[in-house]
Amino acid sequence: MSKKALITGITGQDGAYLSKLLLEKGYKVYGAFRRTSDLHINRLKFLGVADDIEYVPVELLEFTNIHRTVEKYEPDEIYNLGAQSFVALSFEQPVFTADVTGLGPLRVLEAIKDVNPAIRFYQASSSEMFGKAAETPQNEKTPFYPRSPYAIAKLFAHWMTVNYRESYGLYACSGILFNHESPLRGVEFVTKKITQSVARVKLGLQKSISLGNLDARRDWGYAPEYVEAIWLMLQQKNPRDYVIATGETHSVREFVEKSFAEIGVRIKWSGKGVKEKGVDKATGKTLVSVNPKFFRPAEVDILKGDCSKAKKELRWSPKTSFGELIGIMVKHDLDVISKGL
Ligand code: NAP
Ligand code: G4F
């Protein structure tokens, strides 16, 4: 009999790629979505899997709803990907973020404990939990120092996952995933914002791009590979937590330069701080400027992961390079924007 998986956050980037992976593996997939005026399943449609999912309304703020869903659908595995996932917004909506991103997973854990403790649980934890990191690269033993309401909420959920595993024997894993991107990434995140803007500049639809901290460094990987690691975590003999990362770190500035290089433009930087500009070396036109409105009250300066444990125990390793990832994203954006999609 095929396994049953319940995925929260089905409409998001990872929800789409994970659904596709699980369907290919023969799973019955229940897609938990929060009710809005429109069920936005564009990512699932893009991957050609929208019609193969059974949609279930699940609100992470509502315990009774989660409990009934777990009881009714009897999943073998629950992947909790649902969250208020945008770090910048968490400074504006800290209480909401704490509730959805922090308490949401606890509600799911409680439902599992109550209904069927044999259900396997995955929690989408984040490298943001390392924050002002005590060491580089970061691994499963690196101390946490969260720098945003989002990261603090994720840390609460991380420790709850560990606690329910240790207290009640649940098969519960926390995947500490570093930034992972794709053509399906939300437009508010810096990578997609850059690649989409670069495509629009190339097509004459936009003149320039405004960004925040150009010096922040992230470990950016390719989302379709990261959902494989997520699935692998729930297939082991024993539940454990894993860092998933590429082991490379790059600045936002490098991301900008490489993205423009994809359309044959070389960027020359001048000025400092909020006066800094990135100009087209050939034409002198300003293509990049800094707007302090994109600065965060507290920043995470550098993230770089060490995924040795996942390599050894899950036999997972990243494949797509930083340059390849940017190439995939810019090409996709050029393609869909030029077709008016
Ligand atoms: P995403 O594209 O922003 O998707 C987030 C999902 O959560 C969406 O489906 C969203 O539904 C859903 N959601 C939000 N609030 C909800 C609520 N109150 N009840 C139920 N569902 C709710 O995020 P992602 O990039 O796929 O990331 C998946 C998970 O991994 C998130 O938990 C994120 O925090 C975590 N994570 C991501 C990364 C990364 O680099 N992508 C790295 C580490 C951890 P709507 O479509 O209705 O908004
Ligand atoms: O793309 P970002 O918004 O991603 P961030 O904050 O690293 O969070 C993402 O990755 C986490 C994993 O580490 C996930 F848990 C989380 O859910 C999310 O998926 O920002 C990346 C960096 C930041 O340092 C930010 O200050 O880019 C900098 N940045 C500079 N200009 C900008 C901008 N970020 C955004 N979103 N927009 C800008 O204009």
Side-chain angles (χ1 to χ4, degrees):
M1 213 171 69
S2 63
K3 275 202 218 173
K4 293 185 282 185
L6 176 73
I7 304 176
T8 71
I10 194 85
T11 54
Q13 170 190 259
D14 292 4
Y17 285 116
L18 181 64
S19 306
K20 184 166 189 289
L21 182 79
L22 296 188
L23 287 164
E24 284 166 0
K25 291 186 181 298
Y27 277 70
K28 164 82 186 164
V29 174
Y30 296 105
F33 71 101
R34 59 171 168 169
R35 196 263 161 196
T36 50
S37 60
D38 178 25
L39 175 58
H40 44 283
I41 49 174
N42 50 321
R43 292 181 170 107
L44 297 158
K45 280 188 182 153
F46 180 79
L47 296 181
V49 297
D51 295 338
D52 302 326
I53 291 163
E54 184 167 338
Y55 298 98
V56 180
V58 173
E59 171 52 69
L60 283 168
L61 296 173
E62 172 64 60
F63 176 69
T64 64
N65 175 210
I66 296 169
H67 194 277
R68 272 191 302 277
T69 302
V70 174
E71 234 170 15
K72 180 169 174 191
Y73 295 98
E74 300 179 324
D76 300 292
E77 297 170 2
I78 298 182
Y79 296 87
N80 183 49
L81 310 182
Q84 191 304 90
S85 66
F86 189 32
V87 174
L89 184 71
S90 77
F91 289 100
E92 294 299 320
Q93 300 181 357
V95 178
F96 175 73
T97 302
D99 208 345
V100 176
T101 306
L103 289 174
L106 173 57
R107 296 183 180 103
V108 181
L109 283 162
E110 261 300 298
I112 291 174
K113 172 171 143 278
D114 204 27
V115 175
N116 177 8
I119 296 169
R120 294 189 169 203
F121 175 75
Y122 172 83
Q123 167 57 15
S125 289
S126 166
S127 52
E128 277 290 303
M129 301 187 309
F130 294 122
K132 195 171 177 178
E135 59 185 8
T136 297
Q138 298 89 37
N139 62 34
E140 294 80 3
K141 296 202 169 107
T142 302
F144 298 116
Y145 191 151
R147 296 269 281 169
S148 63
Y150 166 82
I152 294 164
K154 282 285 181 191
L155 191 51
F156 174 83
H158 168 79
W159 282 119
M160 277 297 171
T161 304
V162 174
N163 184 259
Y164 272 56
R165 179 170 76 218
E166 293 177 354
S167 304
Y168 309 114
L170 297 193
Y171 190 113
C173 300
S174 169
I176 307 174
L177 272 56
F178 282 62
N179 299 53
H180 45 281
E181 319 295 314
S182 74
L184 302 185
R185 185 61 144 148
V187 289
E188 67 274 39
F189 299 100
V190 77
T191 55
K192 181 70 171 179
K193 180 174 169 183
I194 295 168
T195 61
Q196 196 178 69
S197 300
V198 165
R200 286 174 58 82
V201 167
K202 170 75 179 170
L203 297 168
L205 300 168
Q206 188 175 326
K207 288 200 166 58
S208 66
I209 170 171
S210 280
L211 293 167
N213 181 3
L214 296 169
D215 295 315
R217 301 184 72 86
R218 291 290 181 275
D219 179 330
W220 280 296
Y222 187 39
E225 293 168 8
Y226 282 45
V227 299
E228 284 185 37
I230 289 175
W231 174 74
L232 281 167
M233 282 181 220
L234 291 203
Q235 315 310 315
Q236 305 305 304
K237 191 157 174 252
N238 297 307
R240 293 207 171 96
D241 308 321
Y242 294 92
V243 158
I244 300 298
T246 69
E248 280 185 31
T249 185
H250 298 276
S251 65
V252 172
R253 188 188 302 280
E254 283 173 79
F255 201 103
V256 169
E257 288 167 0
K258 280 206 181 287
S259 299
F260 273 109
E262 288 291 322
I263 59 162
V265 171
R266 285 179 71 193
I267 296 288
K268 188 177 156 211
W269 301 99
S270 63
K272 285 235 171 307
V274 291
K275 298 241 168 67
E276 184 160 13
K277 301 246 174 290
V279 301
D280 181 336
K281 224 172 171 179
T283 65
K285 277 190 192 154
T286 297
L287 295 177
V288 188
S289 59
V290 174
N291 187 334
K293 89 171 179 192
F294 297 115
F295 291 163
R296 295 174 182 179
E299 179 61 284
V300 171
D301 295 327
I302 174 167
L303 291 174
K304 179 180 172 179
D306 169 5
C307 70
S308 309
K309 184 177 168 190
K311 279 185 180 160
K312 188 163 169 243
E313 296 182 11
L314 303 178
R315 300 191 182 282
W316 179 90
S317 52
K319 292 179 187 65
T320 305
S321 71
F322 179 63
E324 286 166 345
L325 170 66
I326 292 173
I328 292 168
M329 291 179 73
V330 173
K331 186 170 172 299
H332 169 90
D333 288 335
L334 278 170
D335 191 38
V336 296
I337 297 168
S338 61
K339 287 181 184 149
L341 297 172

